[in-house]
Amino acid sequence: MKRHRLKHFDLDVYQETLSNGLLVNVVPKKGNNIYVTFITKYGSFDNVFIPYGKKDFYEAPMGVAHFLEHKVFEQSDGEDPFAFYTRNGADANASTSYIRTCYLFSGPDSFHENINYLLDFVQSPYFTEENVEKEKGIIEQEIKMYDDMPFWRLFEATLKNTFHNHPLRYPIAGTVETISKITKEDLYTCYNTFYHPSNMFLTVVGNVDPEEAMKSIRDNQSKKDYESRDKIILKEIEEPNEVVKEKEIIPFDVEIPKLAIAYKINIGNYDINKVKDYLSIYFNIKLDSTSLLREKLKKENAITGGFGIDVIDAGNHILCAVNTESKDPEYVIEQVDAEIKTKKITETELNRKKKTMKSGCIYQSDSVFSIASNINNNILRLGEVIFDEYEWVDSLNIEEMKDILANISFDEKSVAILKKS
């Protein structure tokens, strides 16, 4: 077990990769809570791959990763993991994103019992034709619930209109049609490929002794037999630079129209993480609560609130999506597009944002949830934990940012508007 200092935060990360390949991170933090996340590097993006033990590519129905998240909670003995954690004074949950599936619990007591139960239920799949069919109705209702949410509907329409082939064009939960095709065999194929410990990691943050926590995890995993695995092979996605549809107006029962602008940006030969970081900063400077454009549009009553901003890694492209609501969406789209395409940024603006980022790091270091989220995001994005966040923030510089902005294009964009017909 190696000990690493999280510089500037008075915290340590204890790390160990177990013999079965599971990476474990433990961050002791005094207080009255313990937060644990058990993550597989498997999300809705990973739908075409070579399954474990096979030679040919397999295409899973869209929505399998999310469906699998639901069914992992199904236990052969009939016990409900949520009920178990409630009895133990803890909260449990799970979620699926584009790139990962996460199982978690939080609570102040019974750590060793709770961590063993988490590891055991996630690593003991039990899928039957009956329980798979039963789940389809539950997930169908979940999908329909999201369809009634204006900004969710807007976001999904934007993705579908932007991407031709990339799985980002599909909802994480799939569609009613795609989940109807999911079988028990699909679930086992995906589970056996992606839920191997070597493709997973565990993060523990809170009031624990690192030696005792690590021993409990080691002992649990030593009782389970996992063969070593080769790296999972995913099919490369060929995605053109052009958007699918430049504009769509969607009839929807809203009092004030909602709008979204999605920029599809080819990263060229740049490192995708660098481009994503700089574009996140750029869009925030241009559109966040302190921006000149937001202040101007608010004074004109052109927008009712602020801007939502999503910056998403999509292989050879970055998606920068902006959403808001306005009684004059065409005007707002025109103003936002003009501001983004200036590509103007000053060192003063960047330095101001860097100070804000450092302040955010300090604020987050007081929360077990934020500490775990930061560690998990580091591993998922970069493959490792950043132990000096300040050093990373300081590495951002205006010359590199201007170079990237000068060599990327904001010309490919898709616009969607929700409004009453």
Side-chain angles (χ1 to χ4, degrees):
M1 182 168 65
K2 294 182 179 179
R3 176 182 175 182
H4 304 276
R5 191 69 171 165
L6 280 176
K7 295 182 180 178
H8 313 289
F9 306 130
D10 195 28
L11 293 169
D12 294 310
V13 181
Y14 293 80
Q15 282 191 327
E16 183 173 331
T17 301
L18 306 187
S19 58
N20 63 14
L22 179 66
L23 172 64
V24 182
N25 310 282
V26 179
V27 183
K29 180 173 174 56
K30 291 182 180 180
N32 61 357
N33 201 7
I34 303 166
Y35 180 54
V36 178
T37 55
F38 191 21
I39 291 176
T40 174
K41 300 172 187 175
Y42 172 52
S44 64
F45 281 1
D46 309 311
N47 70 310
V48 185
F49 57 92
I50 297 179
Y52 170 64
K54 303 293 183 181
K55 295 181 179 179
D56 298 321
F57 280 103
Y58 156 85
E59 183 172 356
M62 281 297 176
V64 166
H66 173 258
F67 202 111
L68 195 52
E69 173 217 312
H70 278 233
K71 295 317 299 171
V72 164
F73 281 89
E74 191 92 40
Q75 299 296 292
S76 60
D77 61 6
E79 181 169 32
D80 179 3
F82 290 107
F84 169 87
Y85 282 110
T86 298
R87 290 197 306 272
N88 269 24
D91 293 321
N93 211 335
S95 64
T96 306
S97 76
Y98 298 117
I99 60 172
R100 62 102 181 106
T101 308
C102 175
Y103 302 87
L104 60 90
F105 74 83
S106 64
D109 304 310
S110 306
F111 168 74
H112 297 286
E113 188 178 0
N114 286 342
I115 190 72
N116 275 281
Y117 191 84
L118 175 69
L119 292 166
D120 289 345
F121 93 75
V122 173
Q123 294 180 325
S124 303
Y126 176 65
F127 313 136
T128 67
E129 291 180 3
E130 291 76 16
N131 67 37
V132 170
E133 286 304 311
K134 179 187 72 174
E135 201 68 34
K136 289 179 182 179
I138 296 170
I139 295 178
E140 180 179 333
Q141 291 304 310
E142 184 179 342
I143 290 170
K144 289 179 177 178
M145 177 187 71
Y146 282 113
D147 284 343
D148 291 333
M149 298 178 180
F151 277 112
W152 187 268
R153 178 78 176 277
L154 186 69
F155 185 64
E156 289 195 341
T158 300
L159 297 179
K160 192 172 183 179
N161 292 341
T162 302
F163 292 94
H164 295 257
N165 304 316
H166 196 282
L168 192 56
R169 75 187 307 269
Y170 296 102
I172 290 171
T175 65
V176 172
E177 180 183 3
T178 63
I179 66 165
S180 70
K181 299 175 183 177
I182 293 173
T183 66
K184 175 186 73 173
E185 289 72 28
D186 289 322
L187 296 183
Y188 273 118
T189 295
C190 296
Y191 182 94
N192 291 333
T193 301
F194 292 99
Y195 278 68
H196 189 274
S198 61
N199 193 53
M200 303 180 76
F201 61 97
L202 184 71
T203 304
V204 179
V205 183
N207 193 23
V208 296
D209 177 277
E211 293 286 353
E212 292 180 4
M214 199 69 77
K215 182 180 185 304
S216 192
I217 296 162
R218 274 194 222 107
D219 290 347
N220 178 284
Q221 294 298 280
S222 68
K223 299 171 186 174
K224 300 169 184 176
D225 186 22
Y226 287 98
E227 297 177 353
S228 60
R229 291 281 184 89
D230 294 328
K231 185 178 179 180
I232 298 167
I233 299 175
L234 300 169
K235 188 174 182 179
E236 292 187 12
I237 301 163
E238 294 184 6
E239 177 64 39
N241 293 330
E242 297 77 20
V243 298
V244 176
K245 186 185 291 187
E246 293 183 356
K247 186 175 182 180
E248 182 178 15
I249 297 177
I250 304 165
F252 204 90
D253 187 19
V254 288
E255 290 301 318
I256 302 174
K258 322 296 186 199
L259 66 96
I261 315 166
Y263 294 92
K264 185 179 184 182
I265 300 156
N266 187 320
I267 65 168
N269 295 319
Y270 290 107
D271 174 77
I272 194 161
N273 289 309
K274 283 282 189 184
V275 178
K276 186 176 180 181
D277 290 337
Y278 282 119
L279 285 177
S280 296
I281 292 169
Y282 180 70
F283 272 76
N284 271 279
I285 288 172
K286 292 295 186 183
L287 301 173
D288 72 4
S289 59
T290 62
S291 68
L292 295 176
L293 179 60
R294 181 182 181 276
E295 183 179 355
K296 171 181 179 291
L297 294 174
K298 286 285 287 182
K299 284 182 177 179
E300 295 173 345
N301 292 317
I303 57 175
T304 60
F307 291 100
I309 302 169
D310 292 288
V311 181
I312 302 172
D313 172 347
N316 293 324
H317 297 84
I318 292 285
L319 173 78
C320 295
V322 178
N323 67 74
T324 190
E325 61 178 20
S326 169
K327 293 180 179 179
D328 189 356
E330 300 289 355
Y331 173 70
V332 173
I333 290 166
E334 178 186 306
Q335 292 291 305
V336 170
D337 194 48
E339 180 67 15
I340 293 301
K341 287 180 177 176
T342 64
K343 296 187 177 182
K344 290 181 179 178
I345 193 79
T346 67
E347 188 168 14
T348 300
E349 289 173 318
L350 176 59
N351 288 338
R352 187 183 303 123
K353 184 58 66 175
K354 286 165 68 172
K355 288 180 180 179
T356 303
M357 292 165 72
K358 286 183 178 180
S359 298
C361 290
I362 295 171
Y363 176 76
Q364 291 172 7
S365 69
D366 198 39
S367 162
V368 293
F369 305 104
S370 295
I371 294 165
S373 178
N374 198 40
I375 288 172
N376 295 342
N377 288 336
N378 281 180
I379 294 170
L380 289 165
R381 281 191 62 209
L382 308 173
E384 61 182 357
V385 178
I386 297 175
F387 300 112
D388 191 342
E389 291 279 351
Y390 281 20
E391 183 178 53
W392 168 74
V393 173
D394 287 336
S395 72
L396 301 169
N397 63 86
I398 193 64
E399 291 79 13
E400 190 173 42
M401 187 172 186
K402 284 184 174 181
D403 176 66
I404 289 173
L405 288 171
N407 289 285
I408 62 172
S409 171
F410 294 118
D411 289 340
E412 284 299 324
K413 73 176 190 294
S414 180
V415 171
I417 301 170
L418 289 187
K419 66 179 183 178
K420 286 186 177 181
S421 54

